[in-house]
Amino acid sequence: MLASLTLLLGLPLALTTELPTCTPLVPVTFDSGTVPRLLGDWIYIIGASKYPPHLEELKVIKYAAFSLFPGSHEDEVNVMEIMRVNETCVVRNSSKIQVFRENSTLMHVDENVTAIAKLIQSDKDFLILNHFNGNFPGLSLSARTPNVSKEHLEEFRAQLHCLGFTDEEMFFTSEKYACPLPGEKTDEGDTESQAG
């Protein structure tokens, strides 16, 4: 009887306890200033994906930085990526991002592999992409510097939880695995980066 009474008295309290609210992801509506704001250097910070090929890639990337610069026309952005995949630094200069202004979508094309994403409204020093591949959600955060506040990281992690990701499905990169710039000498006097 006491257990039943405790359950009945505790139920209204449990029902009024608010669950964390999930802020909707609001895509950027592209205008003439959108692409110029994207140009420059970015550090990949954290990502999560349910899309199997992207998930496998996230598991092995320890660090990634990329630069976006103007392509051959206003709806194209060239990408240079420097990343540490397991223990090897890789440099890629061959990929492009196609900008589809009519539906505010970005499509990254790299060696016959495409990834489609919406740019999400955020602080100007953050690049949040909502990736979609069929019914597989994905979300990534890049920043102008590797120094993202704990508060911003917690907000992003909360958004990932809202999308159904667990902590085990979130993959962070670390500046301690940063690769030297192409042609830059390492402490051993060798160049470490490999073109890809």
Side-chain angles (χ1 to χ4, degrees), residues 123-136:
D123 180 280
K124 67 179 177 59
D125 291 326
F126 296 131
L127 178 66
I128 298 175
L129 295 174
N130 186 7
H131 306 269
F132 48 98
N133 294 289
N135 291 326
F136 299 105

Side-chain angles (χ1 to χ4, degrees), residues 4-147:
S4 299
L5 185 59
T6 303
L7 179 64
L8 288 174
L9 292 176
L11 189 57
L13 181 61
L15 292 175
T16 61
T17 304
E18 287 187 38
L19 296 173
T21 57
C22 295
T23 307
L25 296 172
V26 179
V28 170
T29 300
F30 286 15
D31 61 27
S32 61
T34 303
V35 173
R37 283 192 299 272
L38 297 177
L39 301 178
D41 298 330
W42 295 95
I43 307 292
Y44 184 84
I45 305 294
I46 179 177
S49 179
K50 301 276 186 180
Y51 185 56
H54 289 174
L55 182 58
E56 291 307 309
E57 186 176 280
L58 289 172
K59 289 178 181 179
V60 296
I61 292 179
K62 294 186 175 184
Y63 175 82
F66 56 97
S67 295
L68 303 177
F69 50 97
S72 59
H73 55 83
E74 68 178 16
D75 291 332
E76 180 181 88
V77 177
N78 291 322
V79 183
M80 190 208 35
E81 301 168 276
I82 301 173
M83 65 186 90
R84 184 174 301 274
V85 179
N86 290 319
E87 301 306 319
T88 304
C89 286
V90 177
V91 177
R92 288 191 215 161
N93 280 317
S94 60
S95 65
K96 298 185 180 306
I97 294 175
Q98 301 297 322
V99 179
F100 298 98
R101 295 174 192 272
E102 64 277 2
N103 64 2
S104 297
T105 302
L106 302 170
M107 182 172 66
H108 185 216
V109 181
D110 183 22
E111 297 178 12
N112 300 325
V113 176
T114 60
I116 300 171
K118 293 267 188 189
L119 178 64
I120 300 303
Q121 290 180 8
S122 65
D123 180 280
K124 67 179 177 59
D125 291 326
F126 296 131
L127 178 66
I128 298 175
L129 295 174
N130 186 7
H131 306 269
F132 48 98
N133 294 289
N135 291 326
F136 299 105
L139 197 66
S140 65
L141 169 67
S142 298
R144 292 288 186 185
T145 72
N147 304 319

